[in-house]
Amino acid sequence: MSSMETSLREGDPVDQALPIRSLILFGLQHVLVMAASPITAVFLVAQTLGFDPALTASVISATFLICGLGSILQSFGPGGFGARLPFIMVPGGAPIAIFLAIATQTDIQTAVGAVLMTSVFYFVALPVFRRLLRYFPPIVVGTMLLLVAVNLVRIYGGTITGKPGSESFAAPVNVGLALATIALTVLFAWGFTGTMRRISVMLGLVAGTALAAMFGQIDMSNVADGPLIAMPQLFPFGMPKFDVIAALPLIVFSIISMAEATGQTIATAEIVGRRENAHGIVPRTIRGDAVASLLGGMLGTSLIITSGENVGIVRATNVKSRYVTAAAGVILIVIALLAPISRLATALPGPVIGGTAVIVFAIIGVIGIDLLRRTDLREHGAMFTLAAGLSMGMLPILVPGIYSQFPQWSQMIIGNGLAAGTITAVLVNALFQHVRPVAEPTPQENH
Protein backbone atom coordinates (compact mmCIF):
# COMPACT_ATOMS: atom_id res chain seq x y z
CA MET A 1 0.00 0.00 0.00
CA SER A 2 1.39 3.46 -0.92
CA SER A 3 2.20 6.07 1.69
CA MET A 4 -0.65 8.22 0.35
CA GLU A 5 -3.16 5.38 0.71
CA THR A 6 -1.97 4.67 4.23
CA SER A 7 -2.24 8.36 5.07
CA LEU A 8 -5.81 8.57 3.74
CA ARG A 9 -6.85 5.40 5.54
CA GLU A 10 -5.54 6.65 8.87
CA GLY A 11 -7.25 10.01 8.37
CA ASP A 12 -4.94 13.00 8.25
CA PRO A 13 -6.57 16.26 9.41
CA VAL A 14 -5.88 17.64 5.92
CA ASP A 15 -8.34 15.10 4.46
CA GLN A 16 -11.20 16.03 6.79
CA ALA A 17 -14.41 16.94 4.96
CA LEU A 18 -16.12 19.85 6.72
CA PRO A 19 -19.79 20.90 6.54
CA ILE A 20 -20.70 23.04 3.51
CA ARG A 21 -21.27 26.13 5.67
CA SER A 22 -17.80 25.86 7.18
CA LEU A 23 -16.22 25.21 3.78
CA ILE A 24 -17.76 28.38 2.36
CA LEU A 25 -16.89 30.47 5.40
CA PHE A 26 -13.27 29.33 5.70
CA GLY A 27 -12.84 29.30 1.93
CA LEU A 28 -14.08 32.89 1.70
CA GLN A 29 -11.48 33.89 4.28
CA HIS A 30 -8.71 32.51 2.05
CA VAL A 31 -10.18 34.38 -0.93
CA LEU A 32 -10.40 37.71 0.88
CA VAL A 33 -6.82 37.47 2.05
CA MET A 34 -5.39 36.59 -1.37
CA ALA A 35 -7.68 38.82 -3.47
CA ALA A 36 -5.18 41.68 -3.43
CA SER A 37 -2.62 39.64 -5.36
CA PRO A 38 -4.52 39.09 -8.63
CA ILE A 39 -6.12 42.54 -8.52
CA THR A 40 -2.82 44.33 -7.90
CA ALA A 41 -1.00 42.23 -10.49
CA VAL A 42 -3.52 42.88 -13.27
CA PHE A 43 -3.85 46.59 -12.55
CA LEU A 44 -0.07 46.97 -12.54
CA VAL A 45 0.20 45.27 -15.95
CA ALA A 46 -2.83 47.15 -17.33
CA GLN A 47 -1.54 50.56 -16.26
CA THR A 48 1.99 49.91 -17.51
CA LEU A 49 0.93 48.54 -20.89
CA GLY A 50 -2.11 50.77 -21.42
CA PHE A 51 -4.92 48.21 -21.52
CA ASP A 52 -8.44 49.48 -22.16
CA PRO A 53 -11.12 48.74 -19.49
CA ALA A 54 -12.59 45.80 -21.42
CA LEU A 55 -9.21 44.08 -21.81
CA THR A 56 -8.37 44.78 -18.16
CA ALA A 57 -11.66 43.19 -17.04
CA SER A 58 -10.98 40.16 -19.26
CA VAL A 59 -7.51 39.62 -17.77
CA ILE A 60 -8.83 40.06 -14.20
CA SER A 61 -11.47 37.44 -14.94
CA ALA A 62 -8.85 35.10 -16.43
CA THR A 63 -6.55 35.55 -13.44
CA PHE A 64 -9.27 34.75 -10.89
CA LEU A 65 -10.35 31.77 -13.00
CA ILE A 66 -6.86 30.24 -13.18
CA CYS A 67 -6.23 30.93 -9.48
CA GLY A 68 -9.47 29.07 -8.72
CA LEU A 69 -8.78 26.13 -11.02
CA GLY A 70 -5.17 25.93 -9.76
CA SER A 71 -6.30 25.94 -6.13
CA ILE A 72 -8.68 23.05 -6.81
CA LEU A 73 -5.90 21.21 -8.64
CA GLN A 74 -3.45 21.64 -5.75
CA SER A 75 -6.12 20.67 -3.21
CA PHE A 76 -7.16 17.42 -4.93
CA GLY A 77 -3.97 16.51 -6.83
CA PRO A 78 -5.34 14.18 -9.52
CA GLY A 79 -2.79 12.07 -11.39
CA GLY A 80 0.18 13.49 -9.49
CA PHE A 81 -0.64 17.08 -10.54
CA GLY A 82 -1.12 18.98 -7.29
CA ALA A 83 0.04 18.52 -3.72
CA ARG A 84 -3.24 17.39 -2.06
CA LEU A 85 -2.55 20.13 0.48
CA PRO A 86 -4.51 23.31 1.35
CA PHE A 87 -2.89 25.60 -1.23
CA ILE A 88 -4.19 28.75 -2.90
CA MET A 89 -2.60 29.88 -6.17
CA VAL A 90 -1.84 33.50 -7.11
CA PRO A 91 0.17 35.50 -9.65
CA GLY A 92 3.62 35.83 -8.08
CA GLY A 93 5.03 39.31 -7.48
CA ALA A 94 8.45 38.64 -9.01
CA PRO A 95 7.01 36.90 -12.10
CA ILE A 96 4.76 39.91 -12.73
CA ALA A 97 7.77 42.25 -12.59
CA ILE A 98 9.71 40.03 -15.00
CA PHE A 99 6.64 39.65 -17.27
CA LEU A 100 6.37 43.44 -17.45
CA ALA A 101 10.07 43.85 -18.13
CA ILE A 102 9.86 41.41 -21.06
CA ALA A 103 6.69 43.08 -22.38
CA THR A 104 8.17 46.60 -22.26
CA GLN A 105 11.49 45.53 -23.76
CA THR A 106 9.83 43.50 -26.57
CA ASP A 107 6.03 43.22 -26.68
CA ILE A 108 3.18 41.57 -24.79
CA GLN A 109 3.04 38.59 -27.16
CA THR A 110 6.69 37.80 -26.40
CA ALA A 111 5.99 38.06 -22.66
CA VAL A 112 3.11 35.57 -23.03
CA GLY A 113 5.40 33.27 -25.03
CA ALA A 114 7.92 33.47 -22.17
CA VAL A 115 5.23 32.33 -19.72
CA LEU A 116 4.37 29.34 -21.91
CA MET A 117 8.03 28.35 -22.36
CA THR A 118 8.68 28.69 -18.64
CA SER A 119 5.68 26.47 -17.87
CA VAL A 120 7.14 23.75 -20.10
CA PHE A 121 10.58 24.27 -18.51
CA TYR A 122 9.10 23.29 -15.12
CA PHE A 123 8.50 19.79 -16.48
CA VAL A 124 11.95 19.59 -18.12
CA ALA A 125 13.81 20.76 -14.99
CA LEU A 126 11.77 18.83 -12.40
CA PRO A 127 13.67 15.50 -12.65
CA VAL A 128 16.94 17.34 -11.99
CA PHE A 129 15.43 19.49 -9.23
CA ARG A 130 14.09 16.41 -7.42
CA ARG A 131 17.66 15.25 -6.87
CA LEU A 132 18.49 18.55 -5.20
CA LEU A 133 15.76 18.36 -2.54
CA ARG A 134 18.22 16.99 0.01
CA TYR A 135 19.89 20.39 -0.08
CA PHE A 136 16.78 21.95 1.49
CA PRO A 137 16.95 20.92 5.18
CA PRO A 138 15.04 22.91 7.87
CA ILE A 139 17.85 25.50 8.20
CA VAL A 140 17.48 26.43 4.50
CA VAL A 141 13.68 26.28 4.42
CA GLY A 142 13.42 28.32 7.63
CA THR A 143 15.75 30.98 6.22
CA MET A 144 13.72 31.10 3.02
CA LEU A 145 10.39 31.49 4.86
CA LEU A 146 11.82 34.35 6.90
CA LEU A 147 12.89 36.09 3.70
CA VAL A 148 9.50 35.41 2.10
CA ALA A 149 7.81 37.09 5.08
CA VAL A 150 10.07 40.15 5.07
CA ASN A 151 9.83 40.57 1.31
CA LEU A 152 6.04 40.27 1.24
CA VAL A 153 5.60 42.66 4.16
CA ARG A 154 7.74 45.21 2.28
CA ILE A 155 5.78 44.75 -0.97
CA TYR A 156 2.33 44.92 0.60
CA GLY A 157 3.41 47.79 2.81
CA GLY A 158 3.16 49.75 -0.43
CA THR A 159 -0.61 49.15 -0.54
CA ILE A 160 -0.76 50.93 2.81
CA THR A 161 1.41 53.95 2.03
CA GLY A 162 0.58 54.41 -1.65
CA LYS A 163 3.04 55.53 -4.31
CA PRO A 164 6.12 57.45 -3.02
CA GLY A 165 6.04 61.08 -4.11
CA SER A 166 2.26 61.21 -4.48
CA GLU A 167 0.16 63.62 -2.42
CA SER A 168 -1.47 60.81 -0.49
CA PHE A 169 1.77 58.96 0.29
CA ALA A 170 1.71 57.66 3.88
CA ALA A 171 -1.51 59.55 4.59
CA PRO A 172 -2.34 59.14 8.30
CA VAL A 173 -5.85 57.88 7.52
CA ASN A 174 -4.45 55.08 5.35
CA VAL A 175 -1.75 54.06 7.81
CA GLY A 176 -4.31 54.29 10.61
CA LEU A 177 -6.71 51.98 8.75
CA ALA A 178 -3.95 49.41 8.25
CA LEU A 179 -2.91 49.52 11.91
CA ALA A 180 -6.55 49.33 13.02
CA THR A 181 -7.07 46.27 10.79
CA ILE A 182 -4.04 44.56 12.36
CA ALA A 183 -5.23 45.45 15.86
CA LEU A 184 -8.78 44.24 15.17
CA THR A 185 -7.48 40.94 13.78
CA VAL A 186 -5.42 40.37 16.92
CA LEU A 187 -8.36 41.32 19.17
CA PHE A 188 -10.67 38.90 17.36
CA ALA A 189 -8.07 36.11 17.65
CA TRP A 190 -7.75 36.87 21.39
CA GLY A 191 -11.40 37.45 22.26
CA PHE A 192 -13.18 34.77 20.24
CA THR A 193 -13.11 30.99 20.45
CA GLY A 194 -13.98 28.14 18.09
CA THR A 195 -15.10 29.05 14.56
CA MET A 196 -15.05 32.80 15.21
CA ARG A 197 -11.41 32.63 16.24
CA ARG A 198 -10.60 30.64 13.11
CA ILE A 199 -12.01 33.36 10.89
CA SER A 200 -10.37 36.19 12.85
CA VAL A 201 -8.35 37.22 9.79
CA MET A 202 -11.50 37.59 7.71
CA LEU A 203 -13.30 39.38 10.54
CA GLY A 204 -10.38 41.80 10.81
CA LEU A 205 -10.57 42.51 7.08
CA VAL A 206 -14.37 43.01 7.19
CA ALA A 207 -14.13 45.26 10.25
CA GLY A 208 -11.32 47.26 8.65
CA THR A 209 -13.42 47.65 5.50
CA ALA A 210 -16.39 48.87 7.55
CA LEU A 211 -14.09 51.36 9.29
CA ALA A 212 -12.83 52.55 5.91
CA ALA A 213 -16.43 53.05 4.75
CA MET A 214 -17.08 55.22 7.80
CA PHE A 215 -14.19 57.45 6.74
CA GLY A 216 -15.36 57.57 3.12
CA GLN A 217 -12.41 55.56 1.84
CA ILE A 218 -14.36 53.13 -0.37
CA ASP A 219 -15.55 53.87 -3.90
CA MET A 220 -18.43 51.55 -4.90
CA SER A 221 -19.59 53.63 -7.88
CA ASN A 222 -18.32 51.24 -10.57
CA VAL A 223 -19.58 47.98 -9.05
CA ALA A 224 -22.95 48.07 -10.84
CA ASP A 225 -21.56 49.32 -14.16
CA GLY A 226 -20.69 46.90 -16.96
CA PRO A 227 -21.74 43.38 -17.98
CA LEU A 228 -23.02 40.68 -15.64
CA ILE A 229 -20.96 37.78 -16.99
CA ALA A 230 -17.21 37.96 -17.68
CA MET A 231 -15.73 35.39 -20.03
CA PRO A 232 -11.92 35.21 -20.34
CA GLN A 233 -10.52 35.23 -23.88
CA LEU A 234 -8.07 32.69 -25.28
CA PHE A 235 -4.85 34.54 -26.23
CA PRO A 236 -6.37 38.01 -25.64
CA PHE A 237 -3.23 39.75 -26.98
CA GLY A 238 -3.00 37.64 -30.13
CA MET A 239 -0.82 34.63 -30.82
CA PRO A 240 2.29 34.44 -28.59
CA LYS A 241 5.84 34.89 -29.85
CA PHE A 242 8.58 32.56 -28.65
CA ASP A 243 11.96 34.18 -27.95
CA VAL A 244 14.22 32.06 -25.74
CA ILE A 245 16.64 34.91 -25.01
CA ALA A 246 13.84 37.24 -23.91
CA ALA A 247 12.32 34.45 -21.80
CA LEU A 248 15.55 33.62 -19.93
CA PRO A 249 14.87 35.86 -16.87
CA LEU A 250 11.50 34.16 -16.31
CA ILE A 251 13.00 30.70 -16.89
CA VAL A 252 15.75 31.45 -14.36
CA PHE A 253 13.13 32.64 -11.88
CA SER A 254 11.24 29.36 -12.26
CA ILE A 255 14.12 27.61 -10.48
CA ILE A 256 13.68 30.00 -7.55
CA SER A 257 9.95 29.36 -7.73
CA MET A 258 10.61 25.62 -7.38
CA ALA A 259 12.71 26.30 -4.29
CA GLU A 260 9.96 28.49 -2.85
CA ALA A 261 7.37 25.80 -3.60
CA THR A 262 9.63 23.33 -1.76
CA GLY A 263 9.65 25.47 1.37
CA GLN A 264 5.92 26.09 1.28
CA THR A 265 5.14 22.42 0.71
CA ILE A 266 7.35 21.25 3.58
CA ALA A 267 5.97 23.92 5.93
CA THR A 268 2.33 23.30 4.98
CA ALA A 269 2.65 19.49 5.15
CA GLU A 270 4.02 19.82 8.67
CA ILE A 271 1.36 22.31 9.77
CA VAL A 272 -1.52 20.12 8.59
CA GLY A 273 0.03 16.90 9.90
CA ARG A 274 0.42 15.14 6.55
CA ARG A 275 2.26 11.94 7.42
CA GLU A 276 3.47 11.36 3.89
CA ASN A 277 7.10 12.36 3.23
CA ALA A 278 6.92 16.10 2.48
CA HIS A 279 9.83 15.95 0.02
CA GLY A 280 7.85 13.37 -1.96
CA ILE A 281 4.97 15.86 -2.32
CA VAL A 282 7.15 18.67 -3.74
CA PRO A 283 7.18 17.40 -7.37
CA ARG A 284 3.38 17.27 -7.33
CA THR A 285 3.24 20.88 -6.15
CA ILE A 286 5.57 21.96 -8.95
CA ARG A 287 3.58 20.05 -11.58
CA GLY A 288 0.45 21.85 -10.37
CA ASP A 289 2.23 25.20 -10.70
CA ALA A 290 3.33 24.27 -14.23
CA VAL A 291 -0.17 23.31 -15.39
CA ALA A 292 -1.78 26.43 -13.88
CA SER A 293 0.88 28.68 -15.42
CA LEU A 294 0.46 27.02 -18.82
CA LEU A 295 -3.32 27.55 -18.76
CA GLY A 296 -2.83 31.08 -17.43
CA GLY A 297 -0.42 31.95 -20.23
CA MET A 298 -3.06 30.91 -22.77
CA LEU A 299 -5.48 33.35 -21.15
CA GLY A 300 -2.98 36.22 -20.88
CA THR A 301 -1.69 35.94 -17.30
CA SER A 302 1.84 35.66 -15.96
CA LEU A 303 3.02 32.64 -13.93
CA ILE A 304 0.42 31.38 -11.43
CA ILE A 305 2.14 29.79 -8.45
CA THR A 306 1.37 28.39 -5.00
CA SER A 307 0.90 31.14 -2.48
CA GLY A 308 2.84 31.69 0.71
CA GLU A 309 -0.07 33.78 1.93
CA ASN A 310 -2.33 30.87 2.75
CA VAL A 311 0.43 29.10 4.71
CA GLY A 312 0.01 31.84 7.29
CA ILE A 313 -3.78 31.51 7.16
CA VAL A 314 -3.63 27.76 7.80
CA ARG A 315 -1.35 28.29 10.79
CA ALA A 316 -3.38 31.21 12.17
CA THR A 317 -6.76 29.49 11.89
CA ASN A 318 -5.67 25.87 12.48
CA VAL A 319 -8.16 24.86 9.77
CA LYS A 320 -6.17 22.18 7.95
CA SER A 321 -8.65 20.66 5.49
CA ARG A 322 -7.71 20.82 1.81
CA TYR A 323 -11.43 20.88 1.03
CA VAL A 324 -11.45 24.45 2.36
CA THR A 325 -8.99 25.64 -0.29
CA ALA A 326 -10.92 23.64 -2.90
CA ALA A 327 -14.01 25.60 -1.81
CA ALA A 328 -11.96 28.79 -2.10
CA GLY A 329 -11.12 27.71 -5.65
CA VAL A 330 -14.82 27.39 -6.47
CA ILE A 331 -15.47 30.86 -5.02
CA LEU A 332 -12.64 32.27 -7.15
CA ILE A 333 -14.20 30.73 -10.27
CA VAL A 334 -17.55 32.32 -9.40
CA ILE A 335 -15.79 35.67 -8.92
CA ALA A 336 -14.10 35.21 -12.29
CA LEU A 337 -17.37 34.61 -14.13
CA LEU A 338 -19.57 37.15 -12.32
CA ALA A 339 -18.23 40.55 -13.34
CA PRO A 340 -19.92 42.60 -10.54
CA ILE A 341 -18.18 40.47 -7.89
CA SER A 342 -14.83 41.11 -9.58
CA ARG A 343 -15.56 44.82 -9.56
CA LEU A 344 -16.58 44.61 -5.88
CA ALA A 345 -13.26 42.90 -5.09
CA THR A 346 -11.39 45.78 -6.72
CA ALA A 347 -13.26 48.21 -4.45
CA LEU A 348 -11.69 46.80 -1.25
CA PRO A 349 -9.50 49.53 0.28
CA GLY A 350 -5.77 49.03 -0.25
CA PRO A 351 -4.73 49.98 3.32
CA VAL A 352 -7.11 47.39 4.81
CA ILE A 353 -5.91 44.67 2.45
CA GLY A 354 -2.33 45.72 3.23
CA GLY A 355 -2.90 45.53 6.97
CA THR A 356 -4.43 42.05 6.66
CA ALA A 357 -1.63 40.89 4.39
CA VAL A 358 1.10 42.20 6.71
CA ILE A 359 -0.02 40.21 9.73
CA VAL A 360 -0.62 37.06 7.65
CA PHE A 361 2.84 37.35 6.07
CA ALA A 362 4.42 37.93 9.47
CA ILE A 363 2.93 34.58 10.52
CA ILE A 364 4.87 32.99 7.64
CA GLY A 365 8.01 34.39 9.30
CA VAL A 366 6.91 32.77 12.56
CA ILE A 367 6.66 29.43 10.75
CA GLY A 368 10.22 29.95 9.50
CA ILE A 369 11.39 30.74 13.03
CA ASP A 370 9.70 27.56 14.27
CA LEU A 371 11.69 25.53 11.71
CA LEU A 372 14.92 27.29 12.66
CA ARG A 373 14.21 26.63 16.32
CA ARG A 374 14.70 22.92 15.66
CA THR A 375 18.20 23.50 14.37
CA ASP A 376 21.10 23.98 16.75
CA LEU A 377 22.14 27.48 15.72
CA ARG A 378 25.20 27.23 17.96
CA GLU A 379 26.53 24.72 15.45
CA HIS A 380 29.09 26.41 13.20
CA GLY A 381 27.58 25.46 9.83
CA ALA A 382 23.99 26.26 10.79
CA MET A 383 24.99 29.63 12.23
CA PHE A 384 26.82 30.71 9.07
CA THR A 385 24.13 29.27 6.78
CA LEU A 386 21.50 31.43 8.45
CA ALA A 387 23.75 34.49 8.71
CA ALA A 388 24.89 34.31 5.08
CA GLY A 389 21.36 33.63 3.79
CA LEU A 390 19.91 36.57 5.71
CA SER A 391 22.78 38.84 4.67
CA MET A 392 22.37 38.20 0.95
CA GLY A 393 18.58 38.09 1.23
CA MET A 394 18.02 41.19 3.36
CA LEU A 395 20.39 43.50 1.47
CA PRO A 396 18.29 43.91 -1.71
CA ILE A 397 15.07 43.95 0.32
CA LEU A 398 16.15 46.61 2.81
CA VAL A 399 18.48 48.54 0.49
CA PRO A 400 16.64 48.77 -2.85
CA GLY A 401 18.91 49.51 -5.78
CA ILE A 402 22.06 48.19 -4.12
CA TYR A 403 22.85 46.19 -7.28
CA SER A 404 21.53 48.78 -9.75
CA GLN A 405 24.99 49.26 -11.30
CA PHE A 406 25.46 45.53 -11.86
CA PRO A 407 24.70 43.83 -15.22
CA GLN A 408 20.97 43.46 -15.86
CA TRP A 409 21.11 39.65 -16.02
CA SER A 410 22.73 39.43 -12.58
CA GLN A 411 20.16 41.73 -10.99
CA MET A 412 17.47 39.14 -11.70
CA ILE A 413 19.19 36.84 -9.18
CA ILE A 414 21.20 38.83 -6.64
CA GLY A 415 18.78 41.75 -6.76
CA ASN A 416 15.91 39.46 -5.74
CA GLY A 417 16.23 39.01 -1.98
CA LEU A 418 14.38 35.71 -1.89
CA ALA A 419 16.47 34.28 -4.73
CA ALA A 420 19.80 35.58 -3.41
CA GLY A 421 19.14 34.47 0.17
CA THR A 422 17.83 31.03 -0.73
CA ILE A 423 20.68 30.26 -3.14
CA THR A 424 23.21 31.47 -0.58
CA ALA A 425 21.69 29.35 2.20
CA VAL A 426 21.70 26.25 -0.04
CA LEU A 427 25.33 26.78 -1.09
CA VAL A 428 26.67 27.58 2.39
CA ASN A 429 24.80 24.67 3.97
CA ALA A 430 26.11 22.33 1.24
CA LEU A 431 29.62 23.66 1.85
CA PHE A 432 29.47 22.81 5.55
CA GLN A 433 27.39 19.62 5.37
CA HIS A 434 28.27 17.97 2.06
CA VAL A 435 31.53 19.33 0.58
CA ARG A 436 33.67 19.22 3.70
CA PRO A 437 31.71 18.69 6.90
CA VAL A 438 33.25 20.61 9.76
CA ALA A 439 33.59 18.69 13.00
CA GLU A 440 32.36 20.56 16.04
CA PRO A 441 34.95 21.10 18.78
CA THR A 442 34.70 18.79 21.77
CA PRO A 443 34.11 20.26 25.25
CA GLN A 444 37.81 19.66 26.04
CA GLU A 445 38.85 21.62 22.95
CA ASN A 446 36.55 24.47 23.99
CA HIS A 447 38.46 24.69 27.25
Side-chain angles (χ1 to χ4, degrees), residues 231-320:
M231 291 301 295
Q233 303 173 30
L234 187 65
F235 298 119
F237 314 116
M239 292 307 293
K241 300 176 183 176
F242 299 101
D243 184 334
V244 176
I245 301 301
L248 273 179
L250 202 57
I251 290 173
V252 170
F253 172 80
S254 69
I255 300 172
I256 307 304
S257 175
M258 291 184 202
E260 188 175 359
T262 300
Q264 291 170 358
T265 301
I266 293 171
T268 304
E270 183 167 315
I271 291 169
V272 302
R274 173 64 86 192
R275 286 185 283 273
E276 184 182 358
N277 176 23
H279 282 84
I281 305 173
V282 170
R284 302 207 301 266
T285 304
I286 294 172
R287 289 190 205 105
D289 283 3
V291 170
S293 295
L294 188 63
L295 294 175
M298 294 178 182
L299 297 179
T301 77
S302 181
L303 295 182
I304 304 295
I305 57 179
T306 50
S307 164
E309 302 167 22
N310 79 297
V311 178
I313 287 288
V314 172
R315 170 58 68 87
T317 63
N318 204 36
V319 178
K320 302 174 180 180

Side-chain angles (χ1 to χ4, degrees), residues 60-239:
I60 285 180
S61 175
T63 305
F64 273 113
L65 177 64
I66 298 302
C67 289
L69 291 173
S71 298
I72 294 172
L73 183 69
Q74 291 286 11
S75 299
F76 290 142
F81 290 86
R84 298 176 68 87
L85 289 173
F87 274 138
I88 297 290
M89 301 196 73
V90 300
I96 285 293
I98 300 170
F99 179 86
L100 273 177
I102 296 171
T104 52
Q105 290 167 8
T106 55
D107 53 42
I108 185 68
Q109 293 89 349
T110 303
V112 170
V115 172
L116 297 176
M117 284 191 287
T118 302
S119 302
V120 174
F121 178 77
Y122 275 115
F123 291 108
V124 174
L126 183 55
V128 176
F129 185 79
R130 291 180 69 170
R131 297 172 185 169
L132 301 178
L133 287 177
R134 67 191 184 100
Y135 294 103
F136 289 86
I139 182 68
V140 172
V141 175
T143 303
M144 183 170 62
L145 290 177
L146 267 182
L147 292 173
V148 167
V150 174
N151 192 43
L152 289 174
V153 167
R154 181 186 68 83
I155 291 172
Y156 277 83
T159 64
I160 298 172
T161 61
K163 188 176 181 180
S166 64
E167 289 185 11
S168 60
F169 177 70
V173 66
N174 291 339
V175 177
L177 281 173
L179 296 178
T181 301
I182 294 172
L184 287 166
T185 301
V186 173
L187 285 174
F188 291 142
W190 167 75
F192 288 131
T193 59
T195 299
M196 296 298 285
R197 171 177 286 178
R198 292 176 177 177
I199 62 169
S200 57
V201 173
M202 184 174 74
L203 293 176
L205 188 147
V206 171
T209 301
L211 196 60
M214 291 172 56
F215 285 92
Q217 298 298 306
I218 299 181
D219 182 8
M220 305 282 285
S221 60
N222 295 324
V223 173
D225 297 335
L228 177 63
I229 302 298
M231 291 301 295
Q233 303 173 30
L234 187 65
F235 298 119
F237 314 116
M239 292 307 293

Side-chain angles (χ1 to χ4, degrees), residues 375-399:
T375 303
D376 184 2
L377 294 178
R378 295 170 298 179
E379 190 268 322
H380 204 62
M383 178 178 65
F384 274 95
T385 295
L386 178 58
L390 292 180
S391 297
M392 291 299 293
M394 292 289 196
L395 270 175
I397 294 174
L398 301 180
V399 190

